[in-house]
Each structure stands twice: as structure tokens, then as C-alpha cells.
Amino acid sequence: MAARRKVGNLLGLHVMATLLAGPLHPYEIAAHMRTRNKEQDLDIRWGSLYTVVQNLEKHGFIQATETVRAGRRPERTVYRLTDAGREEMKDWLRELVGHPAREFPRLKTALSVIGVLPPDEVIELLEQRLSVLTVENDSQRSTLRGAAHEVPRIFLVEAEFQLAMREAEAAWIERLLKELRDGSLGGLDVWRHYHETGQTPDFTSFPEPP
């Protein structure tokens, strides 16, 4: 069971991991994360960085060490990772890696109400999505092959995972498209009848989904 974190924004985990290298001010933290393309690993709202930093400090996970000024720039507070922050970061990582959590991808949400659109339009949209996935997956495979000659694999595993998930998505869409095209998808006749007649199916006659 997932623990209730005092700072639950995953950006906080990355801030603490970045501070492992040494004390930094928030602008430097953001610069380090951008250099390492962390936008590829989580949905970052850079405007919330200072709020996350303040919350980490509030709960004792990071600590202000000094305030510096460069030229006419505003003063910047430098933070370091505390022992409590180090332990929180490790515990959080252990939870994320060792305990699967239910996630809600946007596609899953859309599929849960996909019947609102007619089958033929859904086929076109899935073909469009598959085309984009195919191009992006091919590009990422090429990028990973190139990076493998220069970067130790431990620093590429998150990109490998992302590619594996998107490859699985593409394969699943291909199977679904096949069933939609050949008419073997269960319930397809009910779906088409609804859009042809406007008559809402009697869903009480269908079993509950798992």
C-alpha cells in the first residue's frame, strides 16, 4: 500500500535526487533537470518548482544553506539535501519500484467511453494514433541504439521502459484494429446499431467488466 507522502509531487523526488550532487539554488536545479531531459520522465510544471522546494524545506527534507547574488540578479537561496530527505527519497523510490500502483493513462480514460464515437471513426483515429506511435517508436529505437555506444545502459533504462510501454500499446492497437476491421470484436454489432438508430442498448443484459 502506498504511503501518504508529506510531499507527494514526484517533482520533489527529482529535486532531492538532483541535490545529491551538492547544494544548488532552484534555478540550478531546474537547469540540471533540463540538461538531463527529465521532462521525458515526468510531467513537469516548472512553475510549481519553487512551491515544491518550499514544501521540501518545510518538512525538513532540504535545508537552506546560504543566499547568493550574482551581479544585479535577485538573491537566490541555495539548498542542500538533509539526512531526513535522503531517507525519504530512498523510501519513496523503494515504494515506486517495488509496489505497482493503479495508474490512469489518458487513452484508458478515452477507451472507457469510446462508444460515444461511431466504430468507423474510431478505426480512423486508432490508425492515426498507431501511425504516430510507429514513427516515434522507430525514432526512439534509433536514439537508444546511438546512445548505447556512449552512455552506460543504467542511464537509459527509463527510456527503454518508455519505449517498451509504447511498443506494447502499438501492438495492442494493431490487434484491436484487426478485430474492428474484420468484425470479430465482441459487441461491435450493438455499437454499430446504436449509432445507426440512436437507440441506447440495454446494458443491464451485459456482465460487469472486470
Side-chain angles (χ1 to χ4, degrees):
M1 182 176 179
R4 187 175 182 84
R5 299 286 165 187
K6 292 178 179 177
V7 179
N9 189 330
L10 282 170
L11 181 54
L13 178 66
H14 280 262
V15 167
M16 290 188 287
T18 302
L19 288 175
L20 274 173
L24 299 167
H25 54 68
Y27 182 84
E28 290 174 323
I29 293 171
H32 278 66
M33 293 178 66
R34 285 192 172 101
T35 299
R36 295 166 186 165
N37 294 317
K38 288 304 177 183
E39 298 99 326
Q40 301 295 320
D41 302 330
L42 73 160
D43 183 16
I44 300 179
R45 300 287 187 267
W46 291 109
S48 67
L49 176 62
Y50 284 88
T51 300
V52 169
V53 166
Q54 290 171 359
N55 286 336
L56 289 171
E57 182 184 23
K58 173 184 175 182
H59 294 289
F61 299 141
I62 64 175
Q63 183 180 63
T65 60
E66 61 177 326
T67 301
V68 298
R69 182 193 294 273
R72 296 184 177 181
R73 293 177 180 175
E75 290 185 340
R76 290 173 175 166
T77 302
V78 176
Y79 295 92
R80 72 170 184 86
L81 185 66
T82 65
D83 290 341
R86 192 180 298 267
E87 290 308 309
E88 172 69 6
M89 177 183 60
K90 291 180 179 179
D91 186 64
W92 201 350
L93 273 172
R94 292 182 184 116
E95 176 194 310
L96 290 171
V97 174
H99 301 278
R102 179 175 292 186
E103 298 178 7
F104 301 95
R106 288 160 54 92
L107 178 59
K108 179 182 177 182
T109 301
L111 290 170
S112 70
V113 290
I114 199 65
V116 170
L117 299 175
D120 291 337
E121 183 179 357
V122 169
I123 290 174
E124 292 179 5
L125 292 169
L126 288 174
E127 287 173 341
Q128 173 184 311
R129 186 184 186 95
L130 181 60
S131 177
V132 173
L133 279 171
T134 300
V135 171
E136 291 181 349
N137 288 350
D138 287 345
S139 175
Q140 191 162 2
R141 281 189 212 96
S142 177
T143 299
L144 278 171
R145 282 195 297 268
H149 299 294
E150 304 174 4
V151 182
R153 189 176 170 214
I154 184 59
F155 299 113
L156 300 174
V157 290
E158 73 274 21
E160 288 183 8
F161 174 75
Q162 181 188 43
L163 176 59
M165 294 300 98
R166 291 171 72 84
E167 287 176 331
E169 179 184 331
W172 182 86
I173 289 175
E174 286 181 333
R175 293 194 298 271
L176 180 60
L177 278 169
K178 180 180 181 301
E179 294 181 54
L180 284 165
R181 292 181 186 124
D182 65 22
S184 62
L185 180 68
L188 182 58
D189 54 341
V190 178
W191 186 6
R192 287 195 182 281
H193 184 263
Y194 163 66
H195 282 280
E196 290 168 358
T197 66
Q199 296 177 2
T200 304
D202 178 14
F203 291 109
T204 60
S205 62
F206 294 92
E208 289 290 327

